[in-house]
Every structure is written in C-alpha cells, then in structure tokens.
Amino acid sequence: MALNPFRASFRAQFFLIFLACCALMAYALYAEHVLHLAPCPLCIFQRIAVIALGVVSLVIALVGPKRPRGRAFAGILALVPALAGAGIAARHVWIQHLPPDQVPSCGPPFAFLRETLPFMALVRKVLTGDGQCAKIEWTFLGQSMPVWTLICFVVLALWIAFAAFRRR
C-alpha cells in the first residue's frame, strides 16, 4: 500500500505540516550552529513564521475539527503564518536581487534594535531589510536560502488550502 500524504486524514495532513516545519527549523538551526551561517533579521522573522505555522498546525492536528466550517476556519488560521512567511521570504529574495548600489546599508545588530525600538518600529525596520540581508552565503541548486524558504512556504500554503478546503 503506497502512502500518499494527500489522501491522509485532515488531522494527519496537519501533523505532517507540523513535521515539515520541524524539519525546516532543524535545518535552520543546523545551518546556524554547524555551518556557522548567522541569520539576518529577515531570516529570524522567517523562522518565527515557520514556528508559528508549526504550532498552529500541531494545534489543528490535535483538535481535528470535523465540520467543513471548522476545517475552513482552521485552514485560514494556518494560512496566516504561511502567507506571512512567504511575504517575508519574497521581500528577502527581492533585497538579494537588488543591484549593489541600491542595497540598503547595514544597520545596528538585531539585538540592539530589539532592546531600543518599540515593537512596531522594530518590525518596520526589519522588513525594510539591510545590507546583511542582501548577502548570499549559502546556495543549493543555484538558489539562496530565502528562495528555498519561499518555495517551502508556498508549497505549505497550497497543502494547507488543499487539506482544509477540499471536499471529503
């Protein structure tokens, strides 16, 4: 019997999404601590989106709404961090593809910004990006980590939409 994740139950699909988020975070931590790739502020926000998606997916898998409206609500709830992460990753890819003379200058470290700026000002500053976010230090098949993260977010968002809104 072949295991097809798209034929799995609603709860199993969201548990698999949770496991995918765990795998993404495991690789991010591996890249940081073993490969010594320091995450830029946009990378940190993408990690937050992956963690949020993982937590929401785990809760959905544990609760497992039975009615179509409950499943649709759960899907929308899971799509929020997936689409937010895709937006952040897309912004990061855009910054990496700017001509060198248009890349924003490097700002103070994230830890300093976190201690000195109010939350919304911190979010605005990070999403603006800086020169650190434009550096490409890692590639796989010719694409940078933010490109792969964007692909993962889009695939997960499509999977969520399929799991939550398909007829059963």
Side-chain angles (χ1 to χ4, degrees):
M1 180 175 155
L3 295 176
N4 183 349
F6 295 107
R7 290 185 171 246
S9 70
F10 178 83
R11 294 175 76 181
Q13 285 187 347
F14 274 91
F15 187 70
L16 290 172
I17 292 168
F18 163 73
L19 291 178
C21 291
C22 289
L24 287 170
M25 278 309 301
Y27 188 78
L29 293 172
Y30 170 81
E32 179 179 355
H33 297 289
V34 176
L35 301 178
H36 305 291
L37 299 173
C40 71
L42 284 175
C43 293
I44 293 169
F45 274 39
Q46 289 169 64
R47 288 181 182 190
I48 291 169
V50 169
I51 292 167
L53 177 56
V55 169
V56 168
S57 297
L58 179 61
V59 170
I60 291 169
L62 294 174
V63 172
K66 303 277 186 241
R67 296 189 174 159
R69 281 190 181 177
R71 289 180 176 181
F73 178 74
I76 291 169
L77 198 62
L79 280 172
V80 169
L83 295 177
I88 295 166
R91 173 78 176 164
H92 199 164
V93 170
W94 179 75
I95 289 172
Q96 285 186 336
H97 287 86
L98 283 175
D101 62 324
Q102 293 181 9
V103 172
S105 62
C106 289
F110 182 73
F112 176 78
L113 293 174
R114 193 180 65 231
E115 292 173 7
T116 58
L117 292 176
F119 179 73
M120 288 311 294
L122 172 68
V123 170
R124 233 182 337 270
K125 177 71 175 161
V126 168
L127 292 179
T128 302
D130 64 14
Q132 183 184 1
C133 297
K135 293 178 191 170
I136 298 175
E137 298 176 342
W138 178 97
T139 60
F140 177 69
L141 298 176
Q143 301 301 318
S144 66
M145 197 172 295
V147 171
W148 288 109
T149 306
L150 175 59
I151 291 168
C152 289
F153 276 123
V154 169
V155 168
L156 289 172
L158 291 172
W159 191 358
I160 290 165
F162 174 79
F165 300 109
R166 75 178 171 112
R167 284 192 193 267
R168 300 194 184 283

